[in-house]
Amino acid sequence: MDKRDIEALRGTVFCGALLERDGWRIDLRQSTPRAVKYRRAEGEIIIVIHNGKGWFDPLSDAKGDVFSLAEHLGAAGFVAALDLVSEAVGFVTAAPRWERSARAGPMAPIETRWHARNSPRPGSPTWRYLSAERCLPDGAIQLAIDQKLLREGPLGSMWAAHNNAAGQVCGWEERGSDWRGFATGGAKTLFRFGAVGSSRICVTEAAIDAMSLAALEGQRSDTLYLSTGGGWSPTTAAAIDGLVRRPACALVAATDANRQGDIYADRLRAVADEAECHFSRLRPDAEDWNDQLRRLAAGKNLKQ
């Protein structure tokens, strides 16, 4: 097979095709249009990126194109990988329900788009989503609004701001009943909920988890609840490092109760060690803090 044929295969066969043929399935709740998470029963995870042309394993350093994915899945060498990819020609991958058509035309600046959206209010679609579906108490929702952290997204979804150290909006997490994403053109820094200058820093993987943990803890006045939005960029690491380099500061890894959460916790432990601050791991009783909050709410309803 000459180079042109190899490049044609690379442009024709998506990484998702190999994964779905191998028994992997999309985790819709943990996926975005630009990063589709695939899982397998053994607990393995692969994230497909670059419109299906690239992939990486968040639990290791493995990454690459469709041919390296074939080898990662068991093909013994590049020739075997070529055969495996060739067999997937014409395979139609599953279409996630949240998939949106591409936007046309230039995008407005991040802060312009943010301020063009209304804040949630009692009874609004976003408020109902956070209150009824996510079981967040009204006080937690209102506090996040007062801190200028929430906006009404399309179709009753929530936008949760990621700010830099200067308080500027750099992007936002997007969450809804059938939608999960991040602001197009935005940068993941940190969602910061709670008391600025706090000595206790709790890091979660999602803004809704940060607000859920705050609700479960009674909104501790000594705590700043953070979300990385499921990302771990140099900007995110630097932002956390800047927050924990205070006297008597404590860093709490309040990440999910799964393997990915443990890996995030290990990264946070390394940040704490470098900053010479106290570190602890806080695990939810469910997979994440919002799951725990919803279980608690369901239990209370059953007793009523």
Side-chain angles (χ1 to χ4, degrees), residues 56-134:
F56 68 90
D57 179 355
L59 307 180
S60 73
D61 294 327
K63 61 183 178 180
D65 63 6
V66 68
F67 297 115
S68 63
L69 177 59
E71 293 188 61
H72 186 74
L73 295 178
F78 188 68
V79 173
L82 279 176
D83 290 340
L84 188 61
V85 173
S86 298
E87 292 172 3
V89 171
F91 184 88
V92 179
T93 58
R97 288 178 299 164
W98 41 254
E99 191 170 45
R100 295 194 220 175
S101 58
R103 297 180 176 92
M107 299 290 294
I110 283 290
E111 285 200 291
T112 300
R113 287 153 52 198
W114 173 261
H115 289 298
R117 287 283 175 176
N118 293 325
S119 296
R121 62 193 184 283
S124 71
T126 298
W127 189 292
R128 292 197 302 270
Y129 165 67
L130 293 173
S131 177
E133 292 191 37
R134 293 296 191 157

Side-chain angles (χ1 to χ4, degrees), residues 258-280:
N258 53 33
R259 188 182 174 199
Q260 180 172 306
D262 290 341
I263 288 174
Y264 276 119
D266 288 341
R267 291 171 175 170
L268 290 166
R269 185 188 299 274
V271 172
D273 289 345
E274 179 67 23
E276 298 183 344
C277 77
H278 182 267
F279 173 84
S280 61

Side-chain angles (χ1 to χ4, degrees), residues 162-244:
H162 275 224
N163 298 310
N164 60 21
Q168 296 172 311
V169 177
C170 302
W172 53 82
E173 297 176 41
E174 301 175 350
R175 298 293 184 274
S177 299
D178 298 312
W179 173 252
R180 175 189 175 93
F182 197 82
T184 301
K188 286 184 179 179
T189 50
L190 290 172
F191 171 82
R192 307 164 191 245
F193 180 56
V196 176
S198 297
S199 60
R200 181 171 179 260
I201 309 295
C202 282
V203 183
T204 69
E205 296 177 49
I208 287 178
D209 284 327
M211 292 186 286
S212 297
L213 177 57
L216 289 164
E217 291 192 331
Q219 194 69 49
R220 288 178 51 161
S221 60
D222 66 341
T223 300
L224 180 63
Y225 300 91
L226 306 178
S227 164
T228 65
W232 189 265
S233 67
T235 303
T236 300
I240 295 172
D241 182 76
L243 289 170
V244 299

Side-chain angles (χ1 to χ4, degrees), residues 4-42:
R4 286 177 298 180
D5 292 332
I6 292 173
E7 289 304 314
L9 267 181
R10 197 193 310 274
T12 301
V13 179
F14 296 132
C15 293
L18 293 190
L19 293 168
E20 290 180 29
R21 280 169 53 90
D22 198 44
W24 297 66
R25 294 292 179 264
I26 294 174
D27 182 344
L28 184 65
R29 184 169 177 259
Q30 295 291 320
S31 295
T32 76
R34 295 181 296 279
V36 182
K37 178 179 284 188
Y38 283 83
R39 292 184 183 271
R40 201 158 59 173
E42 294 85 345

